[in-house]
Amino acid sequence: MASDTLLVSGGRVLRPDSDVVEADVLVDREDGRIVEIGPDLATDRDADETLDASGGIVMPGLVNAHTHAAMTLLRGYADDKPLDAWLREDIWPAEAELTAEDVRAGTELGLVEMIRSGTTTFADMYFHVPEVVAAVDEAGMRARVGHGVVTVGKDEEAARADVRESLDVAREYDGAADGRIRTAVMPHSLTTVDEPLLREAVAEAHADGIPVHTHANETRDEVEPIVAERSERPLAYADDVGLLSEADFLAHGVHVDETEIDLLAEREAAVVHCPASNMKLASGIAPVQDLLDAGVTVALGTDGAASNNDLDLFDELRDAAMLGKLGADDASAVPAEAAVTMATRGGAEALSLPGGRVEVGAAADLAVVDFDAPHLAPAHDPVSHLAYAVRGSDVRHTICDGQVLMRDREILTLDEDEVVETARRRAVDLVARAE
Ligand SMILES: CSC[C@H]1O[C@@H](n2cnc3c(O)ncnc32)[C@H](O)[C@@H]1O
Ligand SMILES: [Zn+2]
């Protein structure tokens, strides 16, 4: 019997095979793992802490496998443009004014939003990584973080320094926050990092067992120049520079052809589908069902809050299922169960992090979703509701690594009012400096 326990009682548990069964979940808070799942554990255990899940679904904490959390500060700052114009005309000039304190404030706002909507784990590509690490540590979440590298437009010395920073922070912070933080080297994309430095960064990362995360095949404007210049598809180039290894994960993968899908499956690199960002920037529709059929690990990401415009992964779940059908011209494509799996187990596997399943021995990363709201009545099929009807605001409790981060919709690890107020103030100042 574990010595320090948390009991999640009275709910229905979403099992890894997508069955939903009435059961309590007993967690060892010391090692952060699930120790028992079964009916009526409440009657024969005195747990140190209990969470009431009655009427709700106990599911794996959601995994937001691609975001830039601090971009909450730029939410609504620039809309209705395609990726390239949006980045060059609005986002990059504003980001040039970001301070470390801004990144801390924007990240904390992002974490509050994610915890509120049941996300326990995320991948973050941004600047000022020590601030991101400190925020994740305080919030109690799990993350794979990294410094995003852009070398185009920089002189040799500045470009090298950017690569060095990505490698240095990846080495320094791997295992931080009692192991809840892991890292990756994060070249921004195949077109914004020059080939020699991209090769160096990937080789050094892999030599140290560090995965690589990048944006890839997001827009036609990004794919066409690579094909024109190199006479090969972008992912053939990515493979050639070595960044399709098993632990690597690519954001977007919208414009991938059959050869690239086969390559991803063969190399076992994962794709993070970001449907809301792809729709808002009119980047295109990723062939998600084709990727799944080929055996590629597919996860879900919100991307940053400036292209989404929120960090609620339940929105992504629904968007992925809906857009997957539209893209395949087939209403049976990306069914509810597949969407829920992408948002949970697919994310954990893509990021090579614990979690993603409610089973004995797994990490106690959980979301408890209330099924009381009118938009969830009746509940013929809970998995259908998780994909098509649940909203982030239906999440009642969020638990990561055995620690309760949100209890009865109250965030316990961060001061939500202060986080929101600080982010509001810093966002106003940031935008004033950028204009
Ligand atoms: C170098 S840190 C990360 C970098 O990525 C930018 N970004 C945000 N959303 C997207 C997207 O959809 N595609 C490519 N790049 C994106 C972000 O603003 C940072 O500059
Ligand atoms: Zn992105």
Side-chain angles (χ1 to χ4, degrees), residues 8-12 23 51-58 368-370 396-397:
V8 183
S9 74
R12 287 186 295 158
L51 284 178
D52 176 22
S54 47
I57 297 289
V58 183
V368 179
V369 183
D370 249 348
R396 180 176 174 190
H397 314 297

Side-chain angles (χ1 to χ4, degrees), residues 66-68 125 215 218 251-252 303-304:
H66 175 75
T67 191
H68 316 278
M125 176 198 286
H215 295 94
E218 181 175 358
H252 298 295
D303 216 341

Side-chain angles (χ1 to χ4, degrees), residues 296-308:
V296 176
T297 299
V298 184
L300 295 183
T302 55
D303 216 341
S307 62
N308 186 298

Side-chain angles (χ1 to χ4, degrees), residues 118-403:
T119 291
T120 54
T121 300
F122 68 106
D124 195 72
M125 176 198 286
Y126 218 52
F127 317 103
H128 299 293
V129 172
E131 307 302 320
V132 177
V133 167
V136 173
D137 191 5
E138 189 179 353
M141 293 179 76
R142 200 184 289 287
R144 194 170 280 280
V145 303
H147 171 85
V149 179
V150 174
T151 66
V152 287
K154 289 183 179 154
D155 63 27
E156 172 75 15
E157 196 185 343
R160 281 203 166 277
D162 213 18
V163 171
R164 191 56 34 218
E165 184 167 356
S166 198
L167 286 158
D168 287 349
V169 295
R171 288 177 182 128
E172 181 169 351
Y173 293 103
D174 200 31
D178 299 321
R180 284 182 285 107
I181 291 181
R182 304 298 310 269
T183 58
V185 166
M186 300 195 178
H188 173 256
S189 77
L190 299 173
T191 52
T192 51
V193 180
D194 295 321
E195 182 176 347
L197 286 173
L198 185 58
R199 283 185 186 279
E200 263 184 60
V202 171
E204 276 204 50
H206 286 167
D208 283 358
I210 300 168
V212 179
H213 176 44
T214 192
H215 295 94
N217 298 47
E218 181 175 358
T219 64
R220 278 200 192 86
D221 289 350
E222 174 197 347
V223 168
E224 281 161 7
I226 298 179
V227 174
E229 271 167 41
R230 301 181 180 274
S231 304
E232 64 180 349
R233 294 290 304 174
L235 294 191
Y237 168 54
D239 190 38
D240 185 49
V241 303
L243 67 63
L244 290 192
S245 80
E246 200 187 322
D248 299 336
F249 54 109
L250 310 175
H252 298 295
V254 174
H255 301 283
V256 285
D257 73 6
E258 275 175 30
T259 63
E260 292 172 297
I261 294 175
D262 289 345
L263 193 55
L264 285 163
E266 203 175 305
R267 299 285 185 263
E268 298 183 37
V271 170
V272 186
H273 176 41
C274 303
S277 169
N278 296 160
M279 288 192 277
K280 185 164 185 246
L281 301 171
S283 301
I285 305 179
V288 173
Q289 188 61 53
D290 293 344
L291 288 161
L292 293 172
D293 289 343
V296 176
T297 299
V298 184
L300 295 183
T302 55
D303 216 341
S307 62
N308 186 298
N309 281 11
D310 61 52
L311 304 184
D312 177 352
L313 207 77
F314 278 106
D315 280 358
E316 245 48 45
L317 250 165
R318 188 202 306 229
D319 288 347
M322 304 278 197
L323 193 61
K325 297 171 198 316
L326 193 64
D329 191 22
D330 176 0
S332 72
V334 194
E337 188 180 327
V340 173
T341 301
M342 288 192 283
T344 52
R345 194 157 72 237
E349 285 172 8
L351 305 189
S352 309
L353 291 176
R357 38 176 86 226
V358 187
E359 67 185 6
V360 171
D365 293 7
L366 305 168
V368 179
V369 183
D370 249 348
F371 265 45
D372 283 351
H375 62 268
L376 300 176
H380 297 297
D381 175 356
V383 177
S384 164
H385 275 8
L386 292 173
Y388 297 117
V390 164
R391 302 169 188 157
S393 53
D394 295 315
V395 175
R396 180 176 174 190
H397 314 297
T398 304
I399 299 139
C400 181
D401 202 31
Q403 190 192 356

